[in-house]
Amino acid sequence: MTYSDAFRVEPGSEVQLEKIDAGFKPEGLKRKEGEREFGRKVGRLRELQHQLYAEDKHSLLIVLQGRDAAGKDGTIRHVFGPLNPQGCRVASFKVPSKLEVSHDFLWRCHIAAPARGQVGIFNRSHYEDVLVVRVHDLVPEATWSKRFDHINNFEALLHDKGTTVLKFYLHIDRDEQLERFGMRISDPARNWKISDADYSERPYWDQYTEAFEDALSRCSTENAPWFVIPANRKWFRNLAIASIVVDSMEKLNMKYPEPSVDMDEIRRKYHQAENAG
Ligand code: ADP
């Protein structure tokens, strides 16, 4: 079974996060071997991105969501860092600005969606509007509850325009989160990452679980699937995500475009130039 099959949320199914082991890795797979496999996947990912860019027909949107310290930044660095920056853009979604809240909740995400030939990575996303917004009652339920349909329609629109939409929920458990907060305190190079929100959000763990489960269950569709990635082990998280992205991009059957010039003619000119020195 591929990681794509193992971790995809089947459309219409009910996700129960407590039942999914955040520390999962395939039996017998050692870290060293997993990292070597990851290296190969990233190499393939780079080739596929090159084709995506050259073909200029499809685009790829990666959505990353997870609790604080789940590893969104690390995933971007490790999995997508090796891509060609000319064809890749990361958009991070924070508390909306005055301008952003004066528009509909999808507006800021739509303008950040990848153009043809491009990879777009959402570090947080339009899903915040059914997560933090719901947990903290930032808008009435009557408003956020309509957003699942809006989101599904929005993602269907992106898909119809040729965008492959892949959404990853980085699944860590409570102990792992606390351990990562501890590392942020003890490592001076990570102190800057600590925010009050880390600690003020932790008591809402169960409310977030409910909100995530609803988003994952209601918005995993054939054309814009959610994947729940066991993310306690960073190396396995990277391997699983890289593998899933590669699988999906392989399915596009991309081809380099035909040259826009007469190649025989160009070869003739090249040889003439070569002979002339
Ligand atoms: P990050 O944790 O992503 O590295 P920050 O520490 O700046 O970056 O956190 C961004 C904050 O913005 C998060 O607490 C997130 O929940 C919040 N946020 C994002 N989108 C929204 C939104 N639509 N409404 C309210 N808060 C949001």
Side-chain angles (χ1 to χ4, degrees), residues 263-277:
M263 286 304 290
D264 290 336
E265 180 64 22
I266 287 291
R267 276 190 200 99
R268 215 167 18 252
K269 285 184 179 161
Y270 174 76
H271 289 309
Q272 270 171 9
E274 209 180 21
N275 292 335

Side-chain angles (χ1 to χ4, degrees), residues 68 72-73 93-96 108 123-125 128-129 132-133 138 195 197 208:
D68 293 312
K72 299 183 289 292
D73 293 340
F93 296 97
K94 314 259 180 191
V95 176
R108 66 177 182 162
N123 181 359
R124 303 185 187 269
S125 65
E128 291 292 320
D129 291 277
V132 63
V133 164
L138 301 182
S195 76
Y208 270 106

Side-chain angles (χ1 to χ4, degrees), residues 123-141:
N123 181 359
R124 303 185 187 269
S125 65
H126 41 296
Y127 283 92
E128 291 292 320
D129 291 277
V130 290
L131 294 167
V132 63
V133 164
R134 168 179 178 174
V135 169
H136 291 293
D137 286 324
L138 301 182
V139 301
E141 178 168 353

Side-chain angles (χ1 to χ4, degrees), residues 173-227:
D173 56 32
R174 285 179 104 106
D175 292 348
E176 180 65 23
Q177 188 188 52
L178 204 56
E179 196 164 311
R180 291 186 186 185
F181 285 170
M183 274 161 24
R184 287 182 177 181
I185 293 172
S186 56
D187 178 356
R190 294 186 205 201
N191 286 174
W192 66 275
K193 277 204 154 196
I194 303 169
S195 76
D196 280 337
D198 292 354
Y199 296 91
S200 56
E201 291 307 283
R202 201 169 146 85
Y204 294 96
W205 185 277
D206 292 336
Q207 285 93 322
Y208 270 106
T209 300
E210 194 185 351
F212 274 121
E213 285 176 345
D214 263 1
L216 296 167
S217 306
R218 299 181 62 175
C219 299
S220 192
T221 57
E222 252 353 291
N223 294 325
W226 269 110
F227 298 88

